[in-house]
Amino acid sequence: MANKKSKNAKNQNPVIATNRRARHDYTILDTWECGVVLVGTEVKALREGKASLNDAFATIDDGEVWLRGLHIPEYSHGNWTNHPTRRARKLLLHRAEIDSLTGKVRDGKNTLIPLKLYFKDGRLKVELGLARGKQDYDKRQDIKRRTEEREITRDLGRRIKGIKG
C-alpha cells in the first residue's frame, strides 16, 4: 500500500522548459522522447526549474545525437564544481531511432529541435521534434486559420447562449 501513488498528486512529469517559438517557426513532422546525459550540478539546477531552450538544436555526429545550445544556469548553492552553462549534451536514443533520424536529416530540409524538457520517473527527458522551417507566407496562413477558428468558436458560443449580434 505504501508504494501506491496518490490520486491527488500533482503533475507527475513537470515541464521545466518549452520551446514556444519552435511551433511558430517550424512545422513539426514527428517527435521522439530522448534521455539526456548530465554531469555535476545540472540536475539540481534543473530541479530549481531554470533552463532555456531558446537557440537550442540537435545534431547527429558520428552516430550520436547531441543537444547544443541548451542553457542550464549554474546551481545556486554550487561551488567550484558547478557545470558549464552551455555545453553539448549527449541524447540517449536507440540505434534504430538514430539511424532513422540520420536518414531524415541528411537531405538538409529537416532539422532536430527540442520542444520540451521535463522529468519522467526522476530522469530528465527531452521531446525532440523533426522539423521543417516555415516560410513567412506559411506563418501568415497559420495566423489567419487560427483567427478564423477563434471567430467560429465565438459565433457558436453566442448562438448557444442565444445572443444575437
Side-chain angles (χ1 to χ4, degrees):
M1 286 271 207
N3 291 339
K4 246 185 178 179
K5 293 188 179 175
S6 138
K7 290 181 182 178
N8 296 333
K10 295 217 175 187
N11 189 1
Q12 297 298 325
N13 298 333
V15 175
I16 298 164
T18 57
N19 191 348
R20 294 174 55 201
R21 290 292 299 178
R23 296 196 189 272
H24 179 72
D25 293 339
Y26 298 94
T27 301
I28 306 301
L29 305 173
D30 203 359
T31 60
W32 286 269
E33 181 180 80
C34 313
V36 182
V37 177
L38 300 173
V39 297
T41 54
E42 289 178 327
V43 175
K44 291 181 179 185
L46 287 168
R47 292 217 184 268
E48 289 179 344
K50 298 177 180 176
S52 174
L53 286 173
N54 293 344
D55 303 328
F57 61 97
T59 59
I60 302 174
D61 301 329
D62 298 328
E64 295 179 338
V65 183
W66 294 88
L67 183 61
R68 302 182 189 280
L70 171 64
H71 182 266
I72 300 175
E74 290 185 347
Y75 180 53
S76 60
H77 299 298
N79 51 18
W80 62 272
T81 60
N82 263 334
H83 60 277
T85 58
R86 287 191 189 264
R87 67 172 188 90
R89 292 168 177 88
K90 188 175 181 179
L91 296 180
L92 304 173
L93 288 162
H94 291 283
R95 172 59 48 201
E97 293 174 329
I98 294 173
D99 292 342
S100 170
L101 282 174
T102 303
K104 292 176 181 176
V105 171
R106 187 176 295 146
D107 66 357
K109 293 181 181 178
N110 299 333
T111 186
L112 296 172
I113 302 292
L115 303 173
K116 273 196 295 192
L117 203 60
Y118 57 94
F119 282 104
K120 181 177 181 182
D121 298 328
R123 298 209 161 88
L124 183 71
K125 302 289 182 180
V126 62
E127 184 177 298
L128 197 63
L130 181 69
R132 177 173 290 138
K134 285 184 183 177
Q135 300 294 328
D136 286 337
Y137 60 84
D138 291 333
K139 294 177 190 177
R140 285 193 293 268
Q141 287 174 352
D142 284 348
I143 292 169
K144 182 179 176 183
R145 181 184 46 79
R146 277 191 306 235
T147 305
E148 289 172 353
E149 287 175 1
R150 196 175 305 125
E151 289 174 2
I152 290 170
T153 306
R154 267 192 212 132
D155 289 343
L156 288 175
R158 287 182 180 145
R159 281 188 190 171
I160 290 172
K161 293 177 185 175
I163 301 172
K164 295 186 179 184

